[in-house]
Amino acid sequence: QQQVRQSPQSLTVWEGETAILNCSYEDSTFDYFPWYHQFPGESPALLIAIRPVSNKKEDGRFTIFFNKREKKFSLHIADSQPGDSATYFCAARNNNNAPRFGAGTKLSVKP
Amino acid sequence: EAAVTQSPRNKVAVTGGKVTLSCNQTNNHNNMYWYRQDTGHGLRLIHYSYGAGSTEKGDIPDGYKASRPSQENFSLILELATPSQTSVYFCASGDAGGYQDTQYFGPGTRLLVL
């Protein structure tokens, strides 16, 4: 049973557009929500993360929007670049348990 | 920069054989994790550990054992390998708590069970 659900499975956007990746979760005790990216042939690496004390976290072109009531969070990639093409994983955890990952979104940015 | 290494990087095993995947971290992290990555499933948690001598079952532990003999080392053991265990296996280390709670992943082990 997937504790963290992610959509879409794949996404294609044009260069300069905003890519939106979505995740939802069930466990209300989760209190840390990171996004990782993975380039072909490489291992996942942390991109950006949020804790529910805030509903938005920005880091350059990358923004997490968090909705605690609906148990949803999303990653917005503004001004998408071909170099952003990768697989993106959302995850969730609490201090008492190991992180659980979504199934991933394969993002392709066309020039 | 956190350092997590895995060995072997590639492995071909026969059905019914024993396979041991090793992971080493030099960051003094308490927590270590084993995931497998398959298309359409993302990263699925197999076993994890909070420190030397401890192991916990993740979401898909069947057919796998884990061993944490020291802070630095965490092994994943397939006693009787099956073709369904063909996958890419990632080890990670990290610590919970604090605002930054990053997992650092190793380079992965590609396992093929024939």
Side-chain angles (χ1 to χ4, degrees):
Chain A
Q1 134 208 16
Q2 198 85 21
Q3 296 190 33
V4 179
R5 299 185 188 277
Q6 186 169 352
S7 64
Q9 188 172 0
S10 64
L11 177 64
T12 299
V13 299
W14 293 103
E15 183 175 355
E17 292 184 333
T18 296
I20 300 174
L21 291 64
N22 301 299
C23 282
S24 63
Y25 62 97
E26 294 297 324
D27 190 336
S28 58
T29 68
F30 285 151
D31 63 359
Y32 180 71
F33 303 90
W35 284 87
Y36 286 75
H37 58 179
Q38 182 182 29
F39 296 98
E42 298 185 8
S43 52
L46 180 69
L47 177 62
I48 186 173
I50 192 170
R51 290 196 184 271
V53 292
S54 59
N55 57 20
K56 182 180 177 181
K57 175 77 177 292
E58 287 182 272
D59 185 356
R61 296 185 294 109
F62 302 93
T63 302
I64 299 176
F65 292 94
F66 182 79
N67 186 323
K68 187 174 183 178
R69 182 179 62 84
E70 294 186 8
K71 296 182 183 175
K72 294 180 178 179
F73 59 110
S74 61
L75 175 68
H76 291 223
I77 306 174
D79 188 24
S80 296
Q81 302 296 310
D84 296 329
S85 296
T87 298
Y88 292 78
F89 295 100
C90 62
R93 72 166 298 164
N94 56 38
N95 274 352
N96 299 320
N97 219 326
R100 261 60 176 194
F101 285 79
T105 295
K106 185 174 183 179
L107 174 66
S108 296
V109 181
K110 292 190 177 296
Chain B
E1 179 72 21
V4 180
T5 56
Q6 294 181 231
S7 62
R9 294 292 312 278
N10 294 279
K11 174 74 176 178
V12 179
V14 295
T15 297
K18 181 177 181 178
V19 177
T20 299
L21 306 183
S22 299
C23 179
N24 176 274
Q25 56 104 356
T26 59
N27 311 301
N28 200 34
H29 287 152
N30 289 323
N31 301 342
M32 295 186 74
Y33 313 87
W34 277 106
Y35 294 91
R36 61 178 285 177
Q37 183 173 22
D38 305 284
T39 302
H41 292 281
L43 293 158
R44 291 184 290 175
L45 182 67
I46 307 170
H47 284 286
Y48 58 105
S49 168
Y50 291 125
S54 93
T55 61
E56 304 287 338
K57 292 182 179 179
D59 297 326
I60 53 165
D62 292 347
Y64 303 94
K65 288 173 55 179
S67 174
R68 182 88 181 269
S70 65
Q71 180 81 341
E72 297 80 18
N73 295 295
F74 190 36
S75 297
L76 186 68
I77 303 146
L78 291 66
E79 294 279 3
L80 295 170
T82 68
S84 65
Q85 294 176 312
T86 293
S87 186
V88 178
Y89 292 85
F90 284 101
C91 174
S93 75
D95 274 332
Y99 193 80
Q100 188 70 12
D101 184 3
T102 303
Q103 281 185 298
Y104 296 91
F105 284 83
T109 294
R110 191 173 297 272
L111 174 65
L112 173 63
V113 183
L114 300 174

